[in-house]
């Protein structure tokens, strides 16, 4: 089946939409551009669907290429039959193609190849004759005794022939398919401790068995990690004898099998086939688990990047620490640094008097509205100090805790040195924390997504695959929000559709040299930004101070004529329900016309503004203050397969296990809750010794 037809069937899409999407991708158009500005051609596929289609298309093309390559390789050996070619052409996975090729691919010397070198392959062929019994087989083996070739006896001849048969069993396409399905259906993942006396985080797996069909992805990754650390031993257990009987029937086609053949097949299964399939199944489990972990990470990252910005506020950012003191940075509403200082308000210095005086002077001097405290080392003491200061002095400011994961990575980066050359590394961290509050997206794009800390087992998954997925997430979010051409950093601009890192730097250099952009058309004057790049990026670039108000909307310049005809009609009272009738008159597709209508209705709209902002506090809560049954507001900090971690205003995030998320059945926590979401929770248990908090969201409304 041609790829476009197969994709349409698999993804439940119309074939013409799939064909158009493939053509657009092959022409070099970006996913955000196609999703936003070519809706009529694709049936309004969103970024997620387009990326899924793109990935699957790449796989199908790789499969087709490998099918042709394998047929060529087998044909060069003079062994390609019509039956083999058909088997290869009908393969739907790369694994199936490799299974067909397995008997023909070059391999290291094995017991079977050594037996073939001794001239025993014809004997192996003869032993497969269904009319042959054990006695006749022994007589036949006698004919192949040849000391010059290393075959000293009939027993040697039989052993060599059995080695050849054993390898054939392990490489047989249909036997491998049968075994693979049997493992998946009846196999159990069995885990034991390498040493029962060693205490470790994996003690729940010291004697553990779970069906391969049912084991959840996060458990697979946990077991894999314990195995890598040498603390766990993992095997797949299954009723082998039952499988061997099925293989005997499939391989020989006989109900009654002579002993010599049974021995050969059993040896091939236990020595070659089963270990191979077990490795394959373990790899498959890991791939599925990694995909799930990457999916969870991607969704968490998307929601984190889409957190509402805090606009129009002067922020005092604090990067807490012990020995080296807390770094302070005051930022204006646009994130420009107004002032910096260091306060020693945490152990061991505890210079609280000087700290009060310093913070008060900064707050009063710059009329600080909000205080952003990083959640790293010393955060608890800093929070207590700030809450007490706000209460004592009746300050109008409030504070919030900001996740500072990755801030130190940014601080030491060349980008930070370029952006904040006048500040040392430690103070750059405070600036990053403050800017994260003011505009999470603009600041977080400067950091490797893997350093942001909203995933599960992120270091245990395929790093290339993780990086590609997260790159796509950041790209989709940046383009869905849009960027201000006159304030965006090169890091932010580099995620705009079609804009490379070099072009992003050129945009900023052009802006520095010629002053703020007043028109999208000026982009064409930027070095290395030609018409093709302009087509991809223009609609995602905003200019709030533009001469043409359309330049501050998501309307693409190619649709300006339609937008200008629609504007007076909207002033006359045209409603969204009227657009279907207007589409033909304005020579525009209905999806595009709807988007233009929405953009003109709310020009300059930031979609993040519709989302809840951070929780601001004026007092502090200790873990010791918590009691069972207490109901508190919280913010979801991380979503994982087994639950969500919630910030309830104490140093330690609490866990809402998946079973405590809702009174209704929850398949996955991400189906119900998202990073950054505000919820009400009830305290179930507090373990002060292990610093663990168990929470429940059952029966609670969202805050």
């Amino acid at each position: 089946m041609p790829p476009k037809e197969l994709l349409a069937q698999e993804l439940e899409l119309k074939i013409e939409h799939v064909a158009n999407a493939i053509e657009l991708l092959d022409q070099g158009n970006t996913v955000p551009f196609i999703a936003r500005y070519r809706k009529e051609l694709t049936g309004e596929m969103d970024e997620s669907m387009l990326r899924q289609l793109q990935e699957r298309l790449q796989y199908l093309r790789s499969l087709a290429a490998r099918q042709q390559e394998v047929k060529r390789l087998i044909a060069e050996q003079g062994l390609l039959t019509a039956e083999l070619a058909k088997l290869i052409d009908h393969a739907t996975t790369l694994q199936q193609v490799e299974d067909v090729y397995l008997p023909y691919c070059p391999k290291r010397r094995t017991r079977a190849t050594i037996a073939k070198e001794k001239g025993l392959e014809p004997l192996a062929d003869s032993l497969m004759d269904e009319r042959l019994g054990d006695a006749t087989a022994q007589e036949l083996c006698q004919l192949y005794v040849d000391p010059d070739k290393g075959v000293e006896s009939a027993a040697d001849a039989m052993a060599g022939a059995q080695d050849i048969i054993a390898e054939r069993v392990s490489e047989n396409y249909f036997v491998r398919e049968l075994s693979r399905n049997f493992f998946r259906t009846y196999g159990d993942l069995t885990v034991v401790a390498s040493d029962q006396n060693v205490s470790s985080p994996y003690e729940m797996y010291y004697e553990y068995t779970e069906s391969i069909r049912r084991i959840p992805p996060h458990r697979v990754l946990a077991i894999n990690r314990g195995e890598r650390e040498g603390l766990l031993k993992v095997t797949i257990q299954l009723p082998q004898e039952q499988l061997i009987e099925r293989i005997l029937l499939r391989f020989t086609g006989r109900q009654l099998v002579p002993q010599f053949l049974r021995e050969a097949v059993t040896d091939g299964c236990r020595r070659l086939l089963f270990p191979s399939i077990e490795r394959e199944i373990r790899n498959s489990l890991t791939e599925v688990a990694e995909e799930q972990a990457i999916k969870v990470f991607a969704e968490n990252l998307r929601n984190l990047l889409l957190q509402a910005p805090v606009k129009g506020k002067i922020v005092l950012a604090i990067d807490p620490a012990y020995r080296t003191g807390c770094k302070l940075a005051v930022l204006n509403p646009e994130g420009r640094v107004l002032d910096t200082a260091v306060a020693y308000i945490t152990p061991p210095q505890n210079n609280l008097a000087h700290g009060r005086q310093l913070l008060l002077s900064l707050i009063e001097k710059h009329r600080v509205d909000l205080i952003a405290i990083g959640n790293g080392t010393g955060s608890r003491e800093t929070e207590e100090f700030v809450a007490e200061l706000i209460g004592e002095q009746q300050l109008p400011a409030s504070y919030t805790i900001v996740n500072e994961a990755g801030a130190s990575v940014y601080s030491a980066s060349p980008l930070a040195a370029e952006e904040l050359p006048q500040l040392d590394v430690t103070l750059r961290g405070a600036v990053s924390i403050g800017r994260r509050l003011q505009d999470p997206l603009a600041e977080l794009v400067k950091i490797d997504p893997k350093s942001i800390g909203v995933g599960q087992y992120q270091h245990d998954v395929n790093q290339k695959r993780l990086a590609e997925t997260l790159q796509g997430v950041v790209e989709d979010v940046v383009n869905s929000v849009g960027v201000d051409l006159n304030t965006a950093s090169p890091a932010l601009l580099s995620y705009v559709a079609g804009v490379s890192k070099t072009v992003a730097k050129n945009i900023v250099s052009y802006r520095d040299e010629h002053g703020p952009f007043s028109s999208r058309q000026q982009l064409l004057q930027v070095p290395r930004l030609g018409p093709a790049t302009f087509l991809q990026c223009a609609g995602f670039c905003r200019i709030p101070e533009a001469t043409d108000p359309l330049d501050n909307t998501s309307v693409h310049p190619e649709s300006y004529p339609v937008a200008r005809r629609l504007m007076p009609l909207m002033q006359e009272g045209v409603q969204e329900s009227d657009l279907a009738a207007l589409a033909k008159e304005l020579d525009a597709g209905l999806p595009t016309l709807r988007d233009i209508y929405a953009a003109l209705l709310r020009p300059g709209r930031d979609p993040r503004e519709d989302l809840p902002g951070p929780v601001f506090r004026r007092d502090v809560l200790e873990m010791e203050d918590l009691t069972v049954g207490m109901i508190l507001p919280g913010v979801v900090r991380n979503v994982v397969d087994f639950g969500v971690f919630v910030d309830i205003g104490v140093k330690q995030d609490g866990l809402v296990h998946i079973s405590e998320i809702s009174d209704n059945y929850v398949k996955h926590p991400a189906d119900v809750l998202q990073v950054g979401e505000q919820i009400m929770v009830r305290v179930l248990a507090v373990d002060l010794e292990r610093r663990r908090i168990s929470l429940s969201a059952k029966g609670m409304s969202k805050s």
Side-chain angles (χ1 to χ4, degrees), residues 243-306:
L243 177 54
I244 289 171
E245 290 302 320
R246 295 189 185 188
I247 290 171
L248 276 164
L249 180 61
R250 184 68 185 83
F251 183 68
T252 67
R254 299 188 231 176
Q255 293 288 348
L256 296 174
V257 181
Q259 185 60 29
F260 71 85
L261 199 51
R262 178 178 289 275
E263 288 173 359
V265 171
T266 300
D267 174 55
C269 288
R270 296 191 192 281
R271 180 168 56 87
L272 302 171
L273 178 63
F274 292 170
S276 170
I277 298 296
E278 179 168 341
R279 285 192 298 272
E280 188 184 307
I281 295 295
R282 289 287 310 277
N283 288 338
S284 176
L285 284 173
T286 298
E287 286 173 11
V288 170
E290 287 184 352
E291 278 301 305
Q292 174 62 15
I294 290 170
K295 179 182 175 184
V296 169
F297 197 143
E299 189 59 29
N300 286 345
L301 178 63
R302 184 186 309 278
N303 292 321
L304 182 66
L305 294 175
L306 282 170

Side-chain angles (χ1 to χ4, degrees), residues 2-9 11 13-27 29 34 38 40-43 45 50 53 57 61:
K4 61 183 179 182
E5 292 181 16
L6 186 59
L7 285 166
Q9 186 180 91
L11 302 176
L13 300 168
K14 290 185 177 180
I15 192 166
E16 60 266 30
H17 294 152
V18 170
N20 289 339
I22 291 173
E23 185 177 355
L24 287 165
L25 289 166
D26 287 344
Q27 289 170 352
N29 292 288
I34 297 170
R38 293 295 180 263
E40 286 81 7
L41 291 174
T42 67
M45 288 187 211
L50 283 165
L53 183 148
L57 175 65
R61 285 175 170 173

Side-chain angles (χ1 to χ4, degrees), residues 445-465:
V445 293
K446 301 174 185 176
I447 302 164
D448 182 345
K450 291 180 289 185
S451 300
I452 294 176
V454 288
Q456 58 177 2
Y457 300 101
Q458 65 194 64
H459 302 295
D460 300 325
V461 304
N462 183 306
Q463 295 300 295
K464 181 174 181 290
R465 171 79 176 136

